[in-house]
Amino acid sequence: MKVFKFGGASVNSIERIKNLGPILESFKADQLVVIISAMGKTTNALEKVAASFFEGNKITALSLFHDIKTNHLSLAQALLTKGYAACELQLADFFTEVEWLLHDNPVRDYNYYYDQVVCLGELLSTCILSHFLNEAGILNKWVDVRDLIRTDNNFRDANIEWQASSEKIKSLMNQEIGKSSNIWITQGFIGATDDNESSTLGREGSDYTAAVFANVLDAESLTIWKDVAAVMNADPKIFLDAVTIPVLNYTEVIEMAYYGAQVIHPKTIKPLQNKGIPLLVKCFLDSSLAGTQIHNKLIKNLPPIIVLKPNQVLVTMTTTDFSFVGDHHLRELSGLMESLHLKPNLMQTGAISLMISLDDQVEKISRLAEVASGIFDVQIEKGLSLLTIRHYTNDTIEHYLADKKAVLQQRSRETLQFLY
Ligand code: ASP
Ligand code: MG
């Protein structure tokens, strides 16, 4: 059993959807669970529908929704001939679910409505894809993942109930797989509560869903199909000398995600690591490329890994009475940051001052400055960038930092962080 995950970019056009056929075909000897995201920017578009509805702009919400509906229907029409009517019928059910809701007035909180609307993207994409593949002779079974993934009702960032979900996944799998087909097509990112209300797992959560399936089903591997050749040591759009990394381990991937590399959703790793399931990152544009293999073993000789976080603010807080920075200062500050959902990217304490580099979320930063100014003198410096280099060497430091002036820097044995 293998688990595959295809992201929004792999299903954002007719050509790309058609391209999945040969990839799946080449694995026909395997049992596959295929997790798919919403097409292209559908999730963003649905977010706008939910926001308009909640702000009371029913007409806007319905018209934005109408556009999403038309796009999906015309895509289905372009992809399908015999199977179009059946697909349209199934899509119509999903559309109706949301349209009913949009005709009402909001009485519950925003996150609840967000999930009821935004979950649609994955349902639509998988529905079209499943019909298309069946018509192309790649027989598969479409499954509503809301029947399998149970979550709590922390809408928009729901937590999976492992016990219940894993029982449901296993029992359906035992009944179904191999009977009608060897391929299951289902959705990432979404689930349902005990009350059968839709929930979502947080943006970009499809990788995580795929990892959950891989864990529960003891899959031999999870493959995440992307539009890049492999995981790279830096963003190739910024660093022209970026290279692919053929082998990585889970720890390194977690570190990369922590420092801001947009490789794989950080929640994805634990379910795989717990069972030692290898994670493969492959390119859907050219499946013959080797990609990256991620496992549990120790790896030597990794290239330097470079992560650039632009748009940083340095907040410097100095005690007003010339006293040393003490535990109570740190406690108050971390409480404040927690309440504002701010996460420091780099932090350093001195005798009478504290320096923190944060993403420039304008409102939150000014709120932080406002409250902190009750305890400290606060200074703010904007327009900075944070460069992190893992496995740095003298050469890499020279290469990446020679022409830059540090505002703050920190070094451990493995990692160098440089704010400039
Ligand atoms: N469609 C969702 C998003 O865009 C989930 C995902 O793609 O992983 O965030
Ligand atoms: Mg995505």
Side-chain angles (χ1 to χ4, degrees):
M1 154 84 52
K2 293 187 169 112
V3 179
F4 283 0
K5 183 260 174 174
F6 290 95
S10 61
V11 287
N12 67 359
S13 68
I14 294 176
E15 292 67 41
R16 287 196 171 177
I17 291 175
K18 287 188 174 164
N19 171 52
L20 298 199
I23 295 183
L24 296 180
E25 186 91 306
S26 68
F27 288 90
K28 61 169 181 271
D30 292 288
Q31 294 188 331
L32 297 179
V33 173
V34 183
I35 310 286
I36 300 172
S37 298
M39 289 171 186
K41 301 277 173 242
T42 308
T43 304
N44 294 359
L46 287 164
E47 281 184 336
K48 294 204 178 94
V49 173
S52 302
F53 163 74
F54 198 73
E55 285 156 12
N57 303 324
K58 215 177 266 188
I59 309 283
T60 315
L62 282 164
S63 123
L64 290 172
F65 188 68
H66 180 79
D67 296 343
I68 297 170
K69 191 168 148 177
T70 326
N71 288 342
H72 282 85
L73 284 171
S74 45
L75 191 81
Q77 204 148 28
L79 282 164
L80 296 161
T81 46
K82 288 199 304 293
Y84 179 71
C87 179
E88 191 192 8
L89 215 63
Q90 196 184 350
L91 291 174
D93 279 344
F94 299 135
F95 296 142
T96 313
E97 255 180 68
V98 170
E99 277 162 345
W100 269 72
L101 179 143
L102 295 180
H103 279 100
D104 264 339
N105 291 320
V107 288
R108 297 179 58 170
D109 67 299
Y110 176 60
N111 291 348
Y112 165 79
Y113 290 108
Y114 177 101
D115 281 5
Q116 310 318 302
V117 173
V118 166
C119 72
L120 214 71
E122 280 44 30
L123 293 165
L124 302 178
S125 66
T126 51
C127 169
I128 296 175
L129 222 103
S130 165
H131 281 275
F132 165 73
L133 292 169
N134 275 329
E135 192 172 298
I138 302 167
L139 298 187
N140 67 87
K141 184 173 167 56
W142 180 89
V143 180
D144 189 331
V145 85
R146 295 175 299 177
D147 295 333
L148 303 181
I149 299 283
R150 273 285 154 276
T151 73
D152 63 9
N153 59 4
N154 186 28
F155 294 109
R156 239 182 131 174
D157 191 19
N159 302 294
I160 293 182
E161 285 165 6
W162 269 91
Q163 188 64 28
S165 305
S166 103
E167 277 163 20
K168 283 173 192 292
I169 292 172
K170 279 186 192 145
S171 93
L172 187 72
M173 203 66 188
N174 287 339
Q175 289 166 32
E176 289 291 343
I177 201 86
K179 282 200 187 132
S180 45
S181 74
N182 272 338
I183 306 179
W184 273 24
I185 305 269
T186 196
Q187 307 80 39
F189 174 58
I190 70 176
T193 66
D194 284 339
D195 298 328
N196 276 325
E197 292 167 328
S198 302
S199 54
T200 68
L201 309 176
R203 288 299 307 264
E204 303 303 326
S206 294
D207 290 356
Y208 178 45
T209 307
V212 171
F213 272 88
N215 175 300
V216 170
L217 297 170
D218 289 305
E220 85 189 61
S221 60
L222 163 60
T223 308
I224 296 188
W225 295 87
K226 288 178 158 287
D227 57 359
V228 289
V231 177
M232 309 206 59
N233 74 324
D235 181 347
K237 287 185 218 103
I238 306 170
F239 299 95
L240 299 175
D241 53 358
V243 294
T244 55
I245 313 178
V247 190
L248 273 171
N249 63 21
Y250 298 126
T251 317
E252 192 61 37
V253 174
I254 286 281
E255 295 279 348
M256 289 168 76
Y258 174 80
Y259 292 111
Q262 268 147 22
V263 220
I264 283 140
H265 194 288
K267 273 186 171 174
T268 312
I269 301 302
K270 192 154 186 300
L272 299 177
Q273 198 227 354
N274 282 351
K275 289 208 169 162
I277 299 170
L279 169 60
L280 313 172
V281 175
K282 295 266 292 171
C283 180
F284 62 75
L285 299 169
D286 182 355
S287 58
S288 70
L289 297 175
T292 298
Q293 200 186 20
I294 301 161
H295 53 51
N296 247 338
K297 292 167 231 150
L298 194 74
I299 296 171
K300 291 200 182 113
N301 305 325
L302 278 172
I305 291 172
I306 322 286
V307 185
L308 181 68
K309 260 184 180 269
N311 214 11
Q312 296 296 296
V313 196
L314 178 68
V315 182
T316 304
M317 297 177 238
T318 313
T319 55
T320 46
D321 56 0
F322 230 61
S323 63
F324 284 157
V325 171
D327 287 348
H328 63 289
H329 291 118
L330 293 172
R331 241 189 337 266
E332 280 183 67
L333 189 66
S334 67
L336 178 57
M337 301 234 282
E338 196 186 338
S339 69
L340 290 169
H341 299 286
L342 277 170
K343 181 182 135 316
N345 296 321
L346 182 64
M347 194 162 160
Q348 191 152 303
T349 51
I352 57 166
S353 68
L354 260 161
M355 298 172 103
I356 307 179
S357 177
L358 299 144
D359 294 340
D360 191 0
Q361 299 171 271
V362 182
E363 271 166 40
K364 290 184 180 181
I365 299 292
S366 49
R367 181 80 192 121
L368 173 72
E370 192 185 311
V371 181
S373 64
I375 330 169
F376 302 102
D377 276 334
V378 182
Q379 271 187 335
I380 293 211
E381 202 174 337
K382 295 204 173 212
L384 301 170
S385 297
L386 179 63
L387 190 77
T388 302
I389 311 179
R390 297 226 350 119
H391 321 294
Y392 61 87
T393 59
N394 288 338
D395 285 351
T396 48
I397 295 176
E398 177 61 26
H399 181 65
Y400 293 103
L401 305 176
D403 57 341
K404 299 182 176 72
K405 240 182 103 198
V407 179
L408 183 64
Q409 73 173 294
Q410 246 173 44
R411 249 184 229 219
S412 68
R413 244 166 295 181
E414 286 293 354
T415 310
L416 170 90
Q417 289 198 283
F418 190 90
L419 185 72
Y420 65 96

